[in-house]
Amino acid sequence: MLLIGSGNAEVGFAEGMEILRRGGSALDAVEAVIHHVESNPEDHSVGYGGLPNILGEVELDASIMDGKTLAAGAVCAVHNYEHPISIARGVMERLPHVMLAGRGAERFARELGMKKRNLLSDEARAIYKAKISDSQRYDTMRELVMRATNDPEIAATAEEYGDETPHGTTNVIALDGAGNLASGVSTSGWAWKYPGRVGDSPIIGAGNYCDNRYGACACTGYGEMAMRSSTAHSVVLYMKMGMGLRQAARQAMKDLRALAVPFPPGMNLVAMDRLGHHVGFTTETDRWADYVYQTGNMQAPKRKKRTVVPLERRIIT
Ligand code: ASP
């Protein structure tokens, strides 16, 4: 049995590993690990305490996939529910759908008996306020939104605040004792994003993909890139076509070089094959340098450096 994840997932590994050791499923382990990240107020990229969109509202995306059945569930642009990963799992297991958005996802969460919570922590609000009052260029929030939408060259705005925009996500992949794989992704997306913007995390094939026969992959980073390149599915597909895990992940990262993008790009992934080999890749050298893993024989998780595959910067000007 094995758990891997982005560095911020470590807070939930103890419980995830306990579930696997008890004979629990990969799906249960993934959901439990992600719960910890979603409730961690110090993590400003996932769940409660996540940084808000440009209007100051926390909007969450998440997805979960079962490698045994290829069943998947996802939610996007969810407000006021702390555990989008569990809403996503509910979608997968109880509805004949894969994804619910916004109000529909919130309604479904209510039907599942989940409690509402204001997700904007004091700290996240303070970071947001500081950022907004920092933006001397803009008189009002409205002006900022107008510029982001009306300017046909969104890149201009992107240059002003996109470069340093804090972002993050949590990725978790589990292999259980029965040989089943599951993968989960949860995020508050890019801070100060346009309201309703959905990233790669809830898009099956972009930020998350899992298939017992080959392996699984989950992404963090500039989600629009993974959406345009189907990064998570590419890794699994390359394995299906005969590549080893490392080669498959490297090829999916290299594929991103074809994309012209308005932001300075960045992409990261963790991936596992069906035998429990694992890798982490990044286009960057600092922020996302480590991923975390733990086998059933290890007392505690360990961190491992990601392999760097730099991008050529094809930034739209
Ligand atoms: N991939 C996430 C998104 O685009 C953000 C991140 O991982 O940094 O919403």
Side-chain angles (χ1 to χ4, degrees):
M1 56 196 79
L2 173 67
L3 276 176
I4 68 168
S6 48
N8 58 355
E10 189 172 350
V11 292
F13 266 42
E15 189 183 342
M17 191 42 80
E18 198 192 310
I19 288 170
L20 293 179
R21 286 190 178 124
R22 280 203 313 259
S25 70
L27 279 171
D28 285 345
V30 164
E31 184 181 6
V33 173
I34 291 180
H35 261 231
H36 283 267
V37 194
E38 289 174 337
S39 295
N40 181 4
E42 285 163 26
D43 193 313
H44 294 308
S45 65
V46 181
Y48 175 76
L51 292 174
N53 66 20
I54 201 146
L55 300 176
E57 303 160 346
V58 180
E59 265 182 359
L60 305 178
D61 300 337
S63 65
I64 191 162
M65 187 158 183
D66 178 359
K68 185 177 176 185
T69 60
L70 306 191
V75 291
C76 61
V78 173
H79 293 224
N80 295 318
Y81 287 92
E82 184 174 354
H83 295 300
I85 195 68
S86 295
I87 316 175
R89 187 164 180 190
V91 173
M92 176 174 82
E93 291 179 344
R94 294 165 186 248
L95 296 178
H97 305 313
V98 169
M99 181 184 274
L100 293 181
R103 275 186 302 169
E106 291 153 22
R107 179 195 174 102
F108 184 58
R110 200 166 61 240
E111 286 172 6
L112 291 174
M114 296 181 186
K115 294 263 170 310
K116 277 178 112 168
R117 182 175 188 190
N118 177 1
L119 301 177
L120 188 63
S121 66
D122 291 347
E123 202 182 321
R125 182 184 291 108
I127 297 170
Y128 169 73
K129 287 247 161 85
K131 174 67 203 170
I132 296 315
S133 60
D134 232 25
S135 302
Q136 302 292 348
R137 294 180 283 268
Y138 309 109
D139 292 338
T140 62
M141 184 65 113
R142 188 165 177 282
E143 190 189 349
L144 185 54
V145 174
M146 291 297 285
R147 284 187 65 142
T149 57
N150 285 355
D151 190 342
E153 301 223 29
I154 290 173
T157 308
E159 259 174 46
E160 291 181 28
Y161 72 100
D163 199 3
E164 290 162 20
T165 300
H167 57 100
T169 291
T170 195
N171 294 155
V172 180
I173 301 174
L175 174 64
D176 64 26
N180 291 315
L181 286 166
S183 56
V185 181
S186 184
T187 188
S188 52
W190 276 54
W192 341 132
K193 64 190 172 187
Y194 190 83
R197 177 268 185 187
V198 173
D200 59 322
S201 309
I203 308 292
I204 299 302
N208 188 1
Y209 202 78
C210 184
D211 183 332
N212 269 8
R213 298 170 297 175
Y214 311 107
C217 175
C219 303
T220 63
Y222 178 22
E224 281 74 359
M225 296 182 77
M227 290 160 85
R228 288 160 61 188
S229 200
S230 302
T231 302
H233 185 253
S234 294
V235 172
V236 175
L237 184 63
Y238 285 134
M239 285 195 275
K240 179 178 181 178
M241 294 178 76
M243 290 186 191
L245 173 68
R246 181 163 290 280
Q247 193 189 4
R250 188 183 293 279
Q251 185 57 55
M253 294 294 280
K254 282 186 179 170
D255 290 349
L256 298 167
R257 291 177 175 164
L259 308 176
V261 289
F263 291 91
M267 186 45 61
N268 317 273
L269 62 79
V270 293
M272 190 192 288
D273 70 13
R274 66 190 176 84
L275 301 175
H277 303 113
H278 52 91
V279 293
F281 276 77
T282 182
T283 57
E284 301 170 58
T285 48
D286 42 11
R287 186 179 140 91
W288 293 102
D290 291 344
Y291 72 101
V292 65
Y293 72 100
Q294 185 175 6
T295 66
N297 301 325
M298 290 164 59
Q299 293 299 318
K302 275 196 179 151
R303 288 187 170 249
K304 201 164 176 186
K305 286 259 170 287
R306 292 174 192 254
T307 304
V308 179
V309 177
L311 293 170
E312 292 150 20
R313 296 207 151 195
R314 290 189 64 197
I315 300 171
I316 297 169
T317 51

